[in-house]
Amino acid sequence: MKEIDINCDLGEGGNYDHLLMPLISSCNIACGGHAGDLKTMGKTIDLAIANNTNIGAHPSYPDKENFGRSSVDISTEALKKSIQDQIISLQNIAEEKGTKLHHVKPHGALYNDAAKDERIAQIIVESLLEIGGDFSLFAPLNSVISKVAKGKINIIFEGFADRNYEADYSLVSRSKSNAVIEEKEAVFKHVFSMFQQQKIIAENGQNLPCEASTFCLHSDTKNSVEILRFLHQKFSEENIKIKNT
């Protein structure tokens, strides 16, 4: 039986973390940049441990006002310190609870900027190298950060289960009506294509090669719990198992 890694951004103040965690294999925990505090970090780590879910840090621009979804004009030094403070906060809590970080995945605008901006990508990679540890980096396909990190940090390429793609591998803007995939059947078809056939069908119909090995479903996507339950059912029919579940 094949295994697939499904990840979800949690600890962001949503009401369904306790329902989502048993259905996924990796979680990305908000660590104070866009959402979250020491209390929510600890609670989410406990939930991850109870469900044998890989624990990842989800650092953001320091911008709770905009939920980390807007680029921030910030100095190299200040951004590096913010990223490191966020990751180390979560790392310390994980270690206190007898576990460790499996990966780091930047959030929102920081993730998108690192995909195309070499300065931002370099800041993130340098931040991780200075912290140390054997965690991996979740990175977008065909991204600047994956090239900057190559040979320095283990890269796990990520595909998005609930987002449509442009022909250049960027995500369709959330300002467009077709940005988010909300129908469970369409989400399964999208993920199955990326995982089993290793291709993304872009919005213009073009087939893009896909080497993703983890797939994100956003916790705030409409009916996210129902979608994940449906994915379990459909993957099982195809002899595919979501890891750790």
Side-chain angles (χ1 to χ4, degrees):
M1 180 175 278
K2 286 187 176 182
E3 289 191 326
I4 185 171
D5 186 50
I6 301 291
N7 76 77
C8 207
D9 306 338
L10 299 178
E12 297 181 324
N15 297 321
Y16 304 107
D17 286 14
H18 65 294
L19 297 176
L20 292 164
M21 192 74 83
L23 300 171
I24 61 176
S25 41
S26 297
C27 66
N28 320 304
I29 301 176
C31 35
H34 66 291
D37 55 28
L38 296 177
K39 183 178 179 180
T40 60
M41 285 185 245
K43 183 179 178 182
T44 312
I45 287 174
D46 285 340
L47 198 55
I49 292 171
N51 288 280
N52 193 31
T53 306
N54 294 327
I55 297 167
H58 200 36
S60 165
Y61 283 118
D63 181 26
K64 287 190 175 181
E65 184 180 351
N66 297 300
F67 199 67
R69 283 184 170 159
S70 300
S71 298
V72 175
D73 185 9
I74 184 172
S75 71
T76 296
E77 295 74 20
L79 181 55
K80 183 183 286 189
K81 183 178 186 306
S82 177
I83 291 169
Q84 291 179 332
D85 286 349
Q86 291 176 61
I87 296 170
I88 290 170
S89 292
L90 191 75
Q91 186 177 44
N92 287 343
I93 296 171
E95 289 175 356
E96 287 170 8
K97 293 178 180 293
T99 188
K100 63 179 183 177
L101 297 189
H102 170 266
H103 64 275
V104 171
K105 173 187 167 180
H107 166 80
L110 185 64
Y111 183 97
N112 294 334
D113 289 349
K116 57 185 184 298
D117 185 320
E118 188 166 353
R119 172 181 165 264
I120 299 299
Q122 195 71 49
I123 291 169
I124 295 171
V125 171
E126 288 176 4
S127 297
L128 300 187
L129 291 173
E130 288 177 14
I131 291 172
D134 59 356
F135 44 75
S136 300
L137 172 66
F138 282 12
L141 297 157
N142 196 39
S143 61
V144 170
I145 191 170
S146 66
K147 296 176 177 66
V148 171
K150 188 176 181 180
K152 301 172 185 174
I153 301 170
N154 183 53
I155 302 162
I156 297 176
F157 285 108
E158 179 179 42
F160 284 87
D162 53 4
R163 294 293 302 276
N164 279 312
Y165 281 82
E166 302 285 6
D168 64 355
Y169 286 93
S170 66
L171 300 177
V172 173
S173 170
R174 284 183 179 269
S175 65
K176 297 181 179 179
S177 61
N178 63 338
V180 180
I181 307 170
E182 296 180 341
E183 298 77 21
K184 59 187 180 183
E185 295 84 0
V187 172
F188 171 72
K189 184 178 179 181
H190 188 50
V191 178
F192 188 75
S193 174
M194 288 190 284
F195 177 72
Q196 191 80 339
Q197 299 164 353
Q198 296 185 307
K199 69 178 182 181
I200 297 168
I201 302 173
E203 271 306 282
N204 66 354
Q206 184 176 342
N207 287 340
L208 308 176
C210 176
E211 52 182 325
S213 51
T214 187
F215 302 89
C216 174
L217 182 82
H218 290 94
S219 58
D220 58 355
T221 292
K222 186 179 178 182
N223 302 322
S224 55
V225 174
E226 181 186 347
I227 290 171
L228 277 168
R229 288 173 177 156
F230 183 75
L231 290 182
H232 272 264
Q233 174 195 328
K234 296 298 290 184
F235 284 140
S236 178
E237 291 172 6
E238 297 291 341
N239 206 32
I240 298 169
K241 180 181 184 294
I242 296 179
K243 289 180 182 178
N244 304 346
T245 61

